[in-house]
Amino acid sequence: MRILAVSLDLDDTLWPVEPAIGGAEQALDAWLRQHLPAVAQAWPIAALRELRDRISAQRPDLAHDFTAQRLLTLRHALRSSGIDSEALVQQAFEVYFKARNDVSLYADALPALTALAARVPLVSISNGNADLARIGLQRHFRASFSARELGMAKPSAGIFHAACAELGLAPEHVLHVGDDPELDVAGARSAGLRSAWLNRSGGRWPTHGALAGVRPDLELRDLGELASRILAATDADTGACPAGQRFCVLP
């Protein structure tokens, strides 16, 4: 199958997300302690995290929108402390969001993005609310698709099909790469895309539940391996997949 474009997950694919979220929580806590000490005292990091989880559970209609969940959390925290100010909510969120986008890329990510973008169109597909422009990676991508903006999250086929429509390609000519077996691999396959599982930890492919009978087209240890495959395939320029090979990347 000829692969003419690549879509990439973001969190835990290009960077580890937990350090970014932890740093954002700490930045927000420091800001609250300085500007709204009563809120900081009533809502330390652990309590604010629990509140956010509770709001997430109460609002399944916002499961695709982490920004909305976070804003609701901040509004509740401030109002419970007697502060009813949308301006302060927005300021607090900006502190959080700026730090949330202060990510540390995996060592292979930037070299791979640079190499990939020179050969094939790239798009991002993410359930998270990372901002590629703030991070400084937007130049590598033709477009970005987030669950928040589209109103649907992976593994919904709609978010994958939106990316394919932007690329002007049939789904079978797009390879989606991500770390999550269900959201990325099973989601992409159900939408008709090819799939690659980024298995940085070397874990075993899960075979239970929704993943029973599902396998990725590729399994990668890092993004450098993907870039090497694409560069080798585009350099070969044979025009067809070798006999018996279930996956190839061609211009």
Side-chain angles (χ1 to χ4, degrees), residues 4-50:
L4 305 179
V6 174
S7 66
L8 289 158
D9 174 52
L10 297 179
D11 292 327
D12 288 328
T13 293
L14 298 185
W15 56 76
V17 69
E18 285 304 321
I21 298 299
E25 290 175 333
Q26 291 173 9
L28 174 60
D29 184 65
W31 185 87
L32 290 173
R33 289 181 182 280
Q34 179 179 358
H35 298 280
L36 301 171
V39 178
Q41 183 175 2
W43 298 99
I45 291 175
L48 206 56
R49 187 184 301 133
E50 183 180 349

mmCIF file of all heavy atoms in Angstrom, residues 4-50:
data_model
loop_
_atom_site.group_PDB
_atom_site.id
_atom_site.type_symbol
_atom_site.label_atom_id
_atom_site.label_comp_id
_atom_site.label_asym_id
_atom_site.label_seq_id
_atom_site.Cartn_x
_atom_site.Cartn_y
_atom_site.Cartn_z
ATOM 1 N N LEU A 4 1.200 8.054 1.454
ATOM 2 C CA LEU A 4 1.522 9.353 0.881
ATOM 3 C C LEU A 4 1.559 10.473 1.905
ATOM 4 O O LEU A 4 1.936 11.589 1.568
ATOM 5 C CB LEU A 4 0.499 9.694 -0.214
ATOM 6 C CG LEU A 4 0.346 8.647 -1.313
ATOM 7 C CD1 LEU A 4 -0.714 9.085 -2.315
ATOM 8 C CD2 LEU A 4 1.666 8.395 -2.024
ATOM 9 N N ALA A 5 1.162 10.205 3.138
ATOM 10 C CA ALA A 5 1.187 11.215 4.196
ATOM 11 C C ALA A 5 1.195 10.514 5.545
ATOM 12 O O ALA A 5 0.832 9.331 5.648
ATOM 13 C CB ALA A 5 -0.016 12.154 4.095
ATOM 14 N N VAL A 6 1.601 11.239 6.561
ATOM 15 C CA VAL A 6 1.686 10.692 7.918
ATOM 16 C C VAL A 6 0.953 11.611 8.876
ATOM 17 O O VAL A 6 1.124 12.835 8.830
ATOM 18 C CB VAL A 6 3.160 10.542 8.367
ATOM 19 C CG1 VAL A 6 3.241 10.122 9.836
ATOM 20 C CG2 VAL A 6 3.887 9.537 7.482
ATOM 21 N N SER A 7 0.127 11.028 9.731
ATOM 22 C CA SER A 7 -0.470 11.774 10.839
ATOM 23 C C SER A 7 0.170 11.298 12.130
ATOM 24 O O SER A 7 0.489 10.117 12.281
ATOM 25 C CB SER A 7 -1.993 11.599 10.882
ATOM 26 O OG SER A 7 -2.348 10.257 11.175
ATOM 27 N N LEU A 8 0.358 12.235 13.045
ATOM 28 C CA LEU A 8 1.059 11.945 14.286
ATOM 29 C C LEU A 8 0.236 12.364 15.495
ATOM 30 O O LEU A 8 -0.324 13.465 15.526
ATOM 31 C CB LEU A 8 2.398 12.698 14.327
ATOM 32 C CG LEU A 8 3.490 12.196 13.393
ATOM 33 C CD1 LEU A 8 4.501 13.303 13.145
ATOM 34 C CD2 LEU A 8 4.170 10.976 13.982
ATOM 35 N N ASP A 9 0.169 11.493 16.470
ATOM 36 C CA ASP A 9 -0.292 11.868 17.801
ATOM 37 C C ASP A 9 0.756 12.810 18.403
ATOM 38 O O ASP A 9 1.891 12.892 17.918
ATOM 39 C CB ASP A 9 -0.447 10.597 18.633
ATOM 40 C CG ASP A 9 -0.786 10.878 20.078
ATOM 41 O OD1 ASP A 9 -1.744 11.626 20.336
ATOM 42 O OD2 ASP A 9 -0.069 10.353 20.952
ATOM 43 N N LEU A 10 0.402 13.512 19.477
ATOM 44 C CA LEU A 10 1.337 14.459 20.097
ATOM 45 C C LEU A 10 1.811 13.994 21.468
ATOM 46 O O LEU A 10 2.949 13.608 21.652
ATOM 47 C CB LEU A 10 0.679 15.846 20.189
ATOM 48 C CG LEU A 10 0.318 16.512 18.850
ATOM 49 C CD1 LEU A 10 -0.342 17.869 19.083
ATOM 50 C CD2 LEU A 10 1.542 16.654 17.961
ATOM 51 N N ASP A 11 0.929 14.046 22.475
ATOM 52 C CA ASP A 11 1.311 13.680 23.844
ATOM 53 C C ASP A 11 1.761 12.226 23.911
ATOM 54 O O ASP A 11 1.075 11.322 23.427
ATOM 55 C CB ASP A 11 0.145 13.890 24.805
ATOM 56 C CG ASP A 11 -0.206 15.358 24.996
ATOM 57 O OD1 ASP A 11 0.714 16.195 24.944
ATOM 58 O OD2 ASP A 11 -1.401 15.663 25.212
ATOM 59 N N ASP A 12 2.915 12.002 24.508
ATOM 60 C CA ASP A 12 3.537 10.698 24.669
ATOM 61 C C ASP A 12 3.965 10.072 23.345
ATOM 62 O O ASP A 12 4.340 8.897 23.301
ATOM 63 C CB ASP A 12 2.645 9.719 25.446
ATOM 64 C CG ASP A 12 2.564 10.085 26.923
ATOM 65 O OD1 ASP A 12 3.556 10.625 27.450
ATOM 66 O OD2 ASP A 12 1.509 9.842 27.547
ATOM 67 N N THR A 13 3.920 10.865 22.279
ATOM 68 C CA THR A 13 4.471 10.463 20.992
ATOM 69 C C THR A 13 5.656 11.360 20.633
ATOM 70 O O THR A 13 6.737 10.881 20.325
ATOM 71 C CB THR A 13 3.404 10.501 19.888
ATOM 72 O OG1 THR A 13 2.418 9.488 20.161
ATOM 73 C CG2 THR A 13 3.995 10.227 18.510
ATOM 74 N N LEU A 14 5.448 12.681 20.733
ATOM 75 C CA LEU A 14 6.547 13.622 20.489
ATOM 76 C C LEU A 14 7.234 14.043 21.778
ATOM 77 O O LEU A 14 8.401 14.451 21.763
ATOM 78 C CB LEU A 14 6.034 14.865 19.761
ATOM 79 C CG LEU A 14 5.420 14.648 18.376
ATOM 80 C CD1 LEU A 14 5.082 15.989 17.736
ATOM 81 C CD2 LEU A 14 6.345 13.847 17.485
ATOM 82 N N TRP A 15 6.517 13.967 22.889
ATOM 83 C CA TRP A 15 7.076 14.335 24.197
ATOM 84 C C TRP A 15 6.318 13.574 25.282
ATOM 85 O O TRP A 15 5.161 13.174 25.071
ATOM 86 C CB TRP A 15 6.930 15.845 24.442
ATOM 87 C CG TRP A 15 5.506 16.320 24.321
ATOM 88 C CD1 TRP A 15 4.489 16.159 25.226
ATOM 89 C CD2 TRP A 15 4.922 17.000 23.198
ATOM 90 N NE1 TRP A 15 3.321 16.712 24.752
ATOM 91 C CE2 TRP A 15 3.570 17.238 23.503
ATOM 92 C CE3 TRP A 15 5.434 17.463 21.982
ATOM 93 C CZ2 TRP A 15 2.708 17.892 22.627
ATOM 94 C CZ3 TRP A 15 4.575 18.099 21.105
ATOM 95 C CH2 TRP A 15 3.223 18.313 21.434
ATOM 96 N N PRO A 16 6.935 13.361 26.437
ATOM 97 C CA PRO A 16 6.193 12.757 27.556
ATOM 98 C C PRO A 16 5.256 13.795 28.160
ATOM 99 O O PRO A 16 5.670 14.916 28.473
ATOM 100 C CB PRO A 16 7.303 12.356 28.536
ATOM 101 C CG PRO A 16 8.450 13.261 28.216
ATOM 102 C CD PRO A 16 8.363 13.556 26.742
ATOM 103 N N VAL A 17 3.997 13.434 28.340
ATOM 104 C CA VAL A 17 3.010 14.425 28.751
ATOM 105 C C VAL A 17 2.995 14.658 30.258
ATOM 106 O O VAL A 17 2.719 15.781 30.715
ATOM 107 C CB VAL A 17 1.602 14.044 28.243
ATOM 108 C CG1 VAL A 17 1.058 12.813 28.958
ATOM 109 C CG2 VAL A 17 0.640 15.216 28.372
ATOM 110 N N GLU A 18 3.271 13.645 31.061
ATOM 111 C CA GLU A 18 3.146 13.805 32.512
ATOM 112 C C GLU A 18 4.059 14.899 33.071
ATOM 113 O O GLU A 18 3.619 15.687 33.920
ATOM 114 C CB GLU A 18 3.390 12.476 33.218
ATOM 115 C CG GLU A 18 2.226 11.493 33.103
ATOM 116 C CD GLU A 18 0.916 12.085 33.624
ATOM 117 O OE1 GLU A 18 0.939 12.801 34.637
ATOM 118 O OE2 GLU A 18 -0.125 11.824 33.006
ATOM 119 N N PRO A 19 5.316 15.000 32.657
ATOM 120 C CA PRO A 19 6.132 16.108 33.160
ATOM 121 C C PRO A 19 5.566 17.473 32.793
ATOM 122 O O PRO A 19 5.657 18.426 33.586
ATOM 123 C CB PRO A 19 7.492 15.878 32.491
ATOM 124 C CG PRO A 19 7.520 14.421 32.189
ATOM 125 C CD PRO A 19 6.113 14.071 31.838
ATOM 126 N N ALA A 20 4.974 17.584 31.612
ATOM 127 C CA ALA A 20 4.390 18.865 31.195
ATOM 128 C C ALA A 20 3.176 19.210 32.054
ATOM 129 O O ALA A 20 3.027 20.359 32.494
ATOM 130 C CB ALA A 20 4.004 18.811 29.722
ATOM 131 N N ILE A 21 2.316 18.238 32.314
ATOM 132 C CA ILE A 21 1.147 18.480 33.147
ATOM 133 C C ILE A 21 1.576 18.798 34.577
ATOM 134 O O ILE A 21 1.046 19.723 35.214
ATOM 135 C CB ILE A 21 0.202 17.266 33.136
ATOM 136 C CG1 ILE A 21 -0.323 16.996 31.720
ATOM 137 C CG2 ILE A 21 -0.957 17.474 34.099
ATOM 138 C CD1 ILE A 21 -1.126 18.121 31.117
ATOM 139 N N GLY A 22 2.539 18.054 35.094
ATOM 140 C CA GLY A 22 3.029 18.327 36.447
ATOM 141 C C GLY A 22 3.627 19.712 36.568
ATOM 142 O O GLY A 22 3.392 20.426 37.550
ATOM 143 N N GLY A 23 4.397 20.123 35.561
ATOM 144 C CA GLY A 23 4.968 21.464 35.574
ATOM 145 C C GLY A 23 3.908 22.538 35.498
ATOM 146 O O GLY A 23 4.023 23.597 36.139
ATOM 147 N N ALA A 24 2.845 22.272 34.721
ATOM 148 C CA ALA A 24 1.755 23.238 34.612
ATOM 149 C C ALA A 24 1.012 23.377 35.936
ATOM 150 O O ALA A 24 0.638 24.487 36.346
ATOM 151 C CB ALA A 24 0.797 22.806 33.506
ATOM 152 N N GLU A 25 0.789 22.266 36.627
ATOM 153 C CA GLU A 25 0.127 22.319 37.927
ATOM 154 C C GLU A 25 0.966 23.107 38.932
ATOM 155 O O GLU A 25 0.427 23.893 39.726
ATOM 156 C CB GLU A 25 -0.124 20.901 38.431
ATOM 157 C CG GLU A 25 -1.196 20.150 37.647
ATOM 158 C CD GLU A 25 -1.344 18.713 38.098
ATOM 159 O OE1 GLU A 25 -0.357 18.139 38.607
ATOM 160 O OE2 GLU A 25 -2.442 18.142 37.937
ATOM 161 N N GLN A 26 2.263 22.914 38.890
ATOM 162 C CA GLN A 26 3.141 23.636 39.815
ATOM 163 C C GLN A 26 3.184 25.130 39.489
ATOM 164 O O GLN A 26 3.183 25.970 40.397
ATOM 165 C CB GLN A 26 4.542 23.035 39.755
ATOM 166 C CG GLN A 26 4.624 21.638 40.341
ATOM 167 C CD GLN A 26 5.986 20.998 40.128
ATOM 168 O OE1 GLN A 26 6.927 21.641 39.682
ATOM 169 N NE2 GLN A 26 6.089 19.713 40.446
ATOM 170 N N ALA A 27 3.206 25.469 38.202
ATOM 171 C CA ALA A 27 3.212 26.882 37.806
ATOM 172 C C ALA A 27 1.919 27.568 38.237
ATOM 173 O O ALA A 27 1.933 28.709 38.730
ATOM 174 C CB ALA A 27 3.402 27.002 36.294
ATOM 175 N N LEU A 28 0.793 26.871 38.053
ATOM 176 C CA LEU A 28 -0.489 27.427 38.468
ATOM 177 C C LEU A 28 -0.531 27.607 39.979
ATOM 178 O O LEU A 28 -0.990 28.654 40.477
ATOM 179 C CB LEU A 28 -1.622 26.511 38.012
ATOM 180 C CG LEU A 28 -3.028 26.876 38.491
ATOM 181 C CD1 LEU A 28 -3.431 28.266 38.005
ATOM 182 C CD2 LEU A 28 -4.035 25.829 38.030
ATOM 183 N N ASP A 29 -0.062 26.625 40.727
ATOM 184 C CA ASP A 29 -0.061 26.714 42.191
ATOM 185 C C ASP A 29 0.786 27.896 42.663
ATOM 186 O O ASP A 29 0.369 28.635 43.573
ATOM 187 C CB ASP A 29 0.473 25.412 42.780
ATOM 188 C CG ASP A 29 0.408 25.393 44.302
ATOM 189 O OD1 ASP A 29 -0.708 25.408 44.852
ATOM 190 O OD2 ASP A 29 1.486 25.391 44.928
ATOM 191 N N ALA A 30 1.934 28.092 42.029
ATOM 192 C CA ALA A 30 2.799 29.220 42.417
ATOM 193 C C ALA A 30 2.109 30.552 42.126
ATOM 194 O O ALA A 30 2.190 31.502 42.926
ATOM 195 C CB ALA A 30 4.123 29.134 41.668
ATOM 196 N N TRP A 31 1.411 30.624 40.996
ATOM 197 C CA TRP A 31 0.699 31.860 40.642
ATOM 198 C C TRP A 31 -0.444 32.126 41.630
ATOM 199 O O TRP A 31 -0.644 33.261 42.065
ATOM 200 C CB TRP A 31 0.168 31.768 39.221
ATOM 201 C CG TRP A 31 -0.467 33.024 38.720
ATOM 202 C CD1 TRP A 31 0.152 34.083 38.117
ATOM 203 C CD2 TRP A 31 -1.864 33.374 38.785
ATOM 204 N NE1 TRP A 31 -0.758 35.060 37.795
ATOM 205 C CE2 TRP A 31 -2.001 34.653 38.202
ATOM 206 C CE3 TRP A 31 -2.992 32.732 39.282
ATOM 207 C CZ2 TRP A 31 -3.234 35.303 38.097
ATOM 208 C CZ3 TRP A 31 -4.221 33.371 39.184
ATOM 209 C CH2 TRP A 31 -4.330 34.634 38.598
ATOM 210 N N LEU A 32 -1.180 31.087 41.966
ATOM 211 C CA LEU A 32 -2.275 31.244 42.920
ATOM 212 C C LEU A 32 -1.755 31.690 44.279
ATOM 213 O O LEU A 32 -2.359 32.547 44.943
ATOM 214 C CB LEU A 32 -3.051 29.933 43.055
ATOM 215 C CG LEU A 32 -3.893 29.501 41.841
ATOM 216 C CD1 LEU A 32 -4.467 28.105 42.055
ATOM 217 C CD2 LEU A 32 -5.017 30.501 41.565
ATOM 218 N N ARG A 33 -0.651 31.135 44.715
ATOM 219 C CA ARG A 33 -0.079 31.513 46.011
ATOM 220 C C ARG A 33 0.324 32.985 46.040
ATOM 221 O O ARG A 33 0.193 33.650 47.071
ATOM 222 C CB ARG A 33 1.116 30.625 46.335
ATOM 223 C CG ARG A 33 0.737 29.201 46.668
ATOM 224 C CD ARG A 33 1.943 28.339 47.000
ATOM 225 N NE ARG A 33 1.535 26.964 47.258
ATOM 226 C CZ ARG A 33 1.025 26.532 48.401
ATOM 227 N NH1 ARG A 33 0.878 27.381 49.411
ATOM 228 N NH2 ARG A 33 0.667 25.276 48.547
ATOM 229 N N GLN A 34 0.760 33.480 44.884
ATOM 230 C CA GLN A 34 1.179 34.875 44.827
ATOM 231 C C GLN A 34 0.006 35.826 44.680
ATOM 232 O O GLN A 34 -0.046 36.878 45.333
ATOM 233 C CB GLN A 34 2.141 35.079 43.660
ATOM 234 C CG GLN A 34 2.622 36.529 43.515
ATOM 235 C CD GLN A 34 3.590 36.702 42.365
ATOM 236 O OE1 GLN A 34 3.949 35.753 41.667
ATOM 237 N NE2 GLN A 34 4.017 37.946 42.141
ATOM 238 N N HIS A 35 -0.965 35.469 43.840
ATOM 239 C CA HIS A 35 -2.035 36.402 43.482
ATOM 240 C C HIS A 35 -3.369 36.108 44.170
ATOM 241 O O HIS A 35 -4.155 37.042 44.402
ATOM 242 C CB HIS A 35 -2.237 36.398 41.960
ATOM 243 C CG HIS A 35 -1.030 36.853 41.198
ATOM 244 N ND1 HIS A 35 -0.698 38.181 41.041
ATOM 245 C CD2 HIS A 35 -0.066 36.141 40.560
ATOM 246 C CE1 HIS A 35 0.415 38.280 40.329
ATOM 247 N NE2 HIS A 35 0.821 37.059 40.023
ATOM 248 N N LEU A 36 -3.639 34.847 44.461
ATOM 249 C CA LEU A 36 -4.911 34.455 45.082
ATOM 250 C C LEU A 36 -4.623 33.440 46.195
ATOM 251 O O LEU A 36 -4.975 32.264 46.098
ATOM 252 C CB LEU A 36 -5.858 33.847 44.041
ATOM 253 C CG LEU A 36 -6.244 34.740 42.853
ATOM 254 C CD1 LEU A 36 -7.003 33.943 41.810
ATOM 255 C CD2 LEU A 36 -7.061 35.930 43.326
ATOM 256 N N PRO A 37 -3.996 33.888 47.285
ATOM 257 C CA PRO A 37 -3.559 32.946 48.321
ATOM 258 C C PRO A 37 -4.699 32.158 48.964
ATOM 259 O O PRO A 37 -4.492 31.012 49.375
ATOM 260 C CB PRO A 37 -2.856 33.849 49.336
ATOM 261 C CG PRO A 37 -3.318 35.244 49.026
ATOM 262 C CD PRO A 37 -3.587 35.277 47.561
ATOM 263 N N ALA A 38 -5.875 32.748 49.060
ATOM 264 C CA ALA A 38 -6.995 32.012 49.648
ATOM 265 C C ALA A 38 -7.367 30.813 48.781
ATOM 266 O O ALA A 38 -7.702 29.730 49.299
ATOM 267 C CB ALA A 38 -8.199 32.935 49.826
ATOM 268 N N VAL A 39 -7.313 30.987 47.472
ATOM 269 C CA VAL A 39 -7.609 29.881 46.551
ATOM 270 C C VAL A 39 -6.516 28.817 46.655
ATOM 271 O O VAL A 39 -6.808 27.618 46.698
ATOM 272 C CB VAL A 39 -7.727 30.393 45.102
ATOM 273 C CG1 VAL A 39 -7.982 29.226 44.136
ATOM 274 C CG2 VAL A 39 -8.845 31.423 44.986
ATOM 275 N N ALA A 40 -5.267 29.261 46.682
ATOM 276 C CA ALA A 40 -4.156 28.310 46.784
ATOM 277 C C ALA A 40 -4.235 27.486 48.059
ATOM 278 O O ALA A 40 -3.950 26.286 48.061
ATOM 279 C CB ALA A 40 -2.828 29.068 46.730
ATOM 280 N N GLN A 41 -4.648 28.131 49.160
ATOM 281 C CA GLN A 41 -4.752 27.413 50.430
ATOM 282 C C GLN A 41 -5.893 26.400 50.402
ATOM 283 O O GLN A 41 -5.766 25.282 50.906
ATOM 284 C CB GLN A 41 -4.962 28.398 51.579
ATOM 285 C CG GLN A 41 -4.998 27.734 52.950
ATOM 286 C CD GLN A 41 -5.092 28.747 54.083
ATOM 287 O OE1 GLN A 41 -5.164 29.943 53.854
ATOM 288 N NE2 GLN A 41 -5.069 28.258 55.320
ATOM 289 N N ALA A 42 -7.003 26.791 49.804
ATOM 290 C CA ALA A 42 -8.169 25.899 49.750
ATOM 291 C C ALA A 42 -8.000 24.795 48.717
ATOM 292 O O ALA A 42 -8.557 23.704 48.874
ATOM 293 C CB ALA A 42 -9.423 26.709 49.451
ATOM 294 N N TRP A 43 -7.230 25.097 47.674
ATOM 295 C CA TRP A 43 -7.106 24.159 46.555
ATOM 296 C C TRP A 43 -5.637 23.915 46.210
ATOM 297 O O TRP A 43 -5.136 24.386 45.188
ATOM 298 C CB TRP A 43 -7.856 24.683 45.327
ATOM 299 C CG TRP A 43 -9.328 24.835 45.553
ATOM 300 C CD1 TRP A 43 -9.998 25.970 45.859
ATOM 301 C CD2 TRP A 43 -10.298 23.799 45.495
ATOM 302 N NE1 TRP A 43 -11.335 25.724 46.007
ATOM 303 C CE2 TRP A 43 -11.552 24.385 45.781
ATOM 304 C CE3 TRP A 43 -10.246 22.432 45.228
ATOM 305 C CZ2 TRP A 43 -12.730 23.649 45.806
ATOM 306 C CZ3 TRP A 43 -11.421 21.695 45.251
ATOM 307 C CH2 TRP A 43 -12.638 22.306 45.539
ATOM 308 N N PRO A 44 -4.918 23.176 47.034
ATOM 309 C CA PRO A 44 -3.554 22.781 46.664
ATOM 310 C C PRO A 44 -3.583 21.858 45.446
ATOM 311 O O PRO A 44 -4.658 21.448 44.993
ATOM 312 C CB PRO A 44 -3.039 22.066 47.910
ATOM 313 C CG PRO A 44 -4.269 21.598 48.611
ATOM 314 C CD PRO A 44 -5.324 22.629 48.327
ATOM 315 N N ILE A 45 -2.426 21.521 44.947
ATOM 316 C CA ILE A 45 -2.343 20.788 43.674
ATOM 317 C C ILE A 45 -3.187 19.516 43.691
ATOM 318 O O ILE A 45 -3.967 19.266 42.764
ATOM 319 C CB ILE A 45 -0.880 20.462 43.336
ATOM 320 C CG1 ILE A 45 -0.119 21.748 42.979
ATOM 321 C CG2 ILE A 45 -0.790 19.458 42.185
ATOM 322 C CD1 ILE A 45 1.358 21.557 42.737
ATOM 323 N N ALA A 46 -3.071 18.707 44.726
ATOM 324 C CA ALA A 46 -3.803 17.439 44.764
ATOM 325 C C ALA A 46 -5.309 17.659 44.773
ATOM 326 O O ALA A 46 -6.063 16.950 44.092
ATOM 327 C CB ALA A 46 -3.374 16.625 45.983
ATOM 328 N N ALA A 47 -5.766 18.651 45.534
ATOM 329 C CA ALA A 47 -7.201 18.935 45.611
ATOM 330 C C ALA A 47 -7.724 19.470 44.276
ATOM 331 O O ALA A 47 -8.831 19.117 43.849
ATOM 332 C CB ALA A 47 -7.479 19.935 46.721
ATOM 333 N N LEU A 48 -6.945 20.315 43.622
ATOM 334 C CA LEU A 48 -7.367 20.871 42.333
ATOM 335 C C LEU A 48 -7.411 19.772 41.273
ATOM 336 O O LEU A 48 -8.303 19.762 40.415
ATOM 337 C CB LEU A 48 -6.420 21.991 41.917
ATOM 338 C CG LEU A 48 -6.972 23.075 40.984
ATOM 339 C CD1 LEU A 48 -8.206 23.733 41.590
ATOM 340 C CD2 LEU A 48 -5.901 24.114 40.692
ATOM 341 N N ARG A 49 -6.470 18.842 41.359
ATOM 342 C CA ARG A 49 -6.473 17.718 40.417
ATOM 343 C C ARG A 49 -7.711 16.853 40.640
ATOM 344 O O ARG A 49 -8.364 16.417 39.685
ATOM 345 C CB ARG A 49 -5.202 16.893 40.597
ATOM 346 C CG ARG A 49 -5.022 15.790 39.559
ATOM 347 C CD ARG A 49 -3.794 14.961 39.863
ATOM 348 N NE ARG A 49 -2.601 15.800 39.879
ATOM 349 C CZ ARG A 49 -1.688 15.748 40.837
ATOM 350 N NH1 ARG A 49 -1.845 14.932 41.884
ATOM 351 N NH2 ARG A 49 -0.609 16.512 40.780
ATOM 352 N N GLU A 50 -8.050 16.602 41.909
ATOM 353 C CA GLU A 50 -9.238 15.807 42.214
ATOM 354 C C GLU A 50 -10.507 16.514 41.739
ATOM 355 O O GLU A 50 -11.434 15.880 41.228
ATOM 356 C CB GLU A 50 -9.310 15.559 43.717
ATOM 357 C CG GLU A 50 -10.478 14.676 44.134
ATOM 358 C CD GLU A 50 -10.522 14.449 45.635
ATOM 359 O OE1 GLU A 50 -9.549 14.800 46.318
ATOM 360 O OE2 GLU A 50 -11.544 13.927 46.109
#
